[in-house]
Amino acid sequence: MTDLIQRFLSGDRRALARAITLVENRSSEGQGLLSAVYGRTGRAHVIGVTGPPGVGKSTMVDRLAAEYRSRDKTVAIIAVDPTSPFSGGSVLGDRIRMSGAAGDPGVFIRSLAARGHLGGLSLATEDVARVMDAFGFDVILIETVGAGQSEVEVMDIAHSTIVVAAPGLGDDIQAIKAGILEIGHVFVVNKADRDGADRTVMELEVMLDLGQRELKWRPPVLKAVARDGLGIPEAVEALERHRQYLDESGSWAALARQRAEAKIRQIVIQRLTEQVSRVSSPVWDQLVDRVVTRQRDPYAAAGEVLKLLRLNGDS
Ligand code: GDP
């Protein structure tokens, strides 16, 4: 274990891959590694890329990575696919080759699938992102492949989120559900080589103006042709401006604090839930019996359970 941490800290990519697997599987080794490297986290700019399927998110993510590389920033990519049973790097092998990032030590790609994450996909994504952050990547791009609630949850760990749309889909805007509209900091209408891009930009602008959002950061709506790399530098500029805004407004620090609090609370609740579910069944059954026969009320019974767990039973 200490050997793995040493190799990780010395920048060994194979140690990084191994560390991610351990963390993803929520093994005790993984937890130990996270604790050991936690002090090195908090530096990476975590960027979410979301939007309806087929709008060009993957293409965009690869281009964004290349643009950041041209600015001497190192980039890690997490492709979150709640519909796929396979996690790991191999699935993305073709993509790495296509993007020209193969052999570039400044780029690391990992896919995460839904299956097998006890604490949920968002928790796994968060922990993997933290490991990448500790490894020293400047930028972490998190791309969600699926649609729905998981997108919003996953994006909860990003500092900046790009919402990608495309013209010509008619109900495309509807597909960008209200929840996703609210989490976007930069909007990009991709496939601007097609008709209707300006109209989609306008529709988004109107929706953003109507929505009562935090006034200090008005999300820009940009156009891009990700396939050809057009509009990508502008998207990165917008992300850099958002990061600067977070810094200068104190939001970066506030967000860190808010998330640390939420995280501790989440872990405490998770552990308590585990403890409660471990209350031995004879005791449990007896308590249930007493409530059923009206010898106890449910509150008193719950109080007894908490006392058994040596927690404060008063509420
Ligand atoms: P995702 O499902 O959102 O990740 O979308 P993909 O990145 O897989 O792209 C879906 C399809 O759109 C692919 O065939 C891409 O080659 C294509 N595509 C991506 N960007 C553009 C673009 O700017 N213009 C056009 N016309 N097609 C694009």
Side-chain angles (χ1 to χ4, degrees):
M1 185 60 187
T2 43
D3 174 53
L4 178 67
I5 294 173
Q6 262 162 18
R7 286 193 294 123
F8 180 94
L9 295 179
S10 71
D12 179 345
R13 284 169 67 99
R14 277 187 310 169
L16 168 63
R18 175 85 189 125
I20 289 174
T21 303
L22 289 174
V23 162
E24 210 196 327
N25 295 338
R26 306 206 72 66
S27 68
S28 54
E29 264 183 299
Q31 302 274 318
L33 184 124
L34 265 181
S35 296
V37 303
Y38 189 80
R40 300 167 71 97
T41 62
R43 285 175 287 196
H45 185 192
V46 182
I47 299 167
V49 181
T50 188
V55 291
K57 292 183 296 296
S58 311
T59 314
M60 175 96 50
V61 162
D62 293 350
R63 294 288 185 166
L64 290 172
E67 178 64 26
Y68 274 112
R69 289 300 293 134
S70 76
R71 297 172 185 225
D72 273 342
K73 301 243 169 133
T74 55
V75 184
I77 300 171
I78 307 177
V80 182
D81 186 354
T83 63
S84 164
F86 304 111
S87 280
S90 58
V91 198
L92 291 173
D94 288 344
R95 214 173 118 180
I96 302 170
R97 271 193 294 281
M98 270 165 56
S99 70
D104 178 357
V107 178
F108 188 92
I109 309 185
R110 179 80 175 205
S111 71
L112 282 186
R115 207 174 65 178
H117 294 128
L118 290 176
L121 193 54
S122 58
L123 197 64
T125 308
E126 181 178 352
D127 287 346
V128 169
R130 189 157 288 143
V131 170
M132 290 167 158
D133 185 0
F135 196 76
F137 287 101
D138 298 314
V139 175
I140 299 172
L141 293 166
I142 303 178
E143 167 197 343
T144 52
V145 176
Q149 185 58 29
S150 58
E151 281 181 331
V152 178
E153 272 173 30
V154 164
M155 291 311 136
D156 218 26
I157 64 177
H159 298 109
S160 311
T161 297
I162 298 195
V163 174
V164 186
L169 292 174
D171 59 355
D172 192 35
I173 298 296
Q174 271 81 351
I176 301 174
K177 294 175 227 69
I180 289 186
L181 200 70
E182 271 162 32
I183 60 171
H185 303 109
V186 176
F187 288 78
V188 179
V189 176
N190 189 39
K191 305 194 183 183
D193 52 311
R194 295 193 179 164
D195 287 345
D198 288 328
R199 195 190 147 86
T200 307
V201 168
M202 257 174 47
E203 284 172 341
L204 281 169
E205 296 275 16
V206 169
M207 284 173 83
L208 286 168
D209 283 337
L210 287 176
Q212 292 295 320
R213 295 172 48 103
E214 83 187 93
L215 296 170
K216 284 179 283 178
W217 175 262
R218 167 56 158 85
V221 184
L222 312 170
K223 284 194 287 185
V225 184
R227 192 193 54 196
D228 304 334
L230 297 175
I232 302 301
E234 291 80 358
V236 168
E237 287 298 333
L239 288 165
E240 294 286 87
R241 273 201 309 279
H242 186 246
R243 182 184 181 147
Q244 200 181 350
Y245 155 77
L246 289 176
D247 268 336
E248 288 168 1
S249 63
S251 301
W252 183 280
L255 210 57
R257 184 160 190 94
Q258 183 190 326
R259 287 177 178 173
E261 267 187 59
K263 186 78 201 167
I264 298 167
R265 208 177 292 274
Q266 180 194 18
I267 296 168
V268 170
I269 290 171
Q270 192 186 333
R271 294 201 178 161
L272 283 177
T273 307
E274 282 164 16
Q275 282 193 42
V276 171
S277 66
R278 278 203 299 265
V279 172
S280 72
S281 79
V283 177
W284 185 261
D285 290 345
Q286 224 174 38
L287 272 172
V288 176
D289 286 344
R290 288 192 180 141
V291 172
V292 172
T293 57
R294 302 302 192 262
Q295 291 168 277
R296 288 272 194 297
D297 69 87
Y299 292 94
E304 284 181 41
V305 173
L306 292 176
K307 278 204 188 93
L308 275 172
L309 296 170
R310 295 177 203 285
L311 293 165
N312 187 0
D314 303 325
S315 63

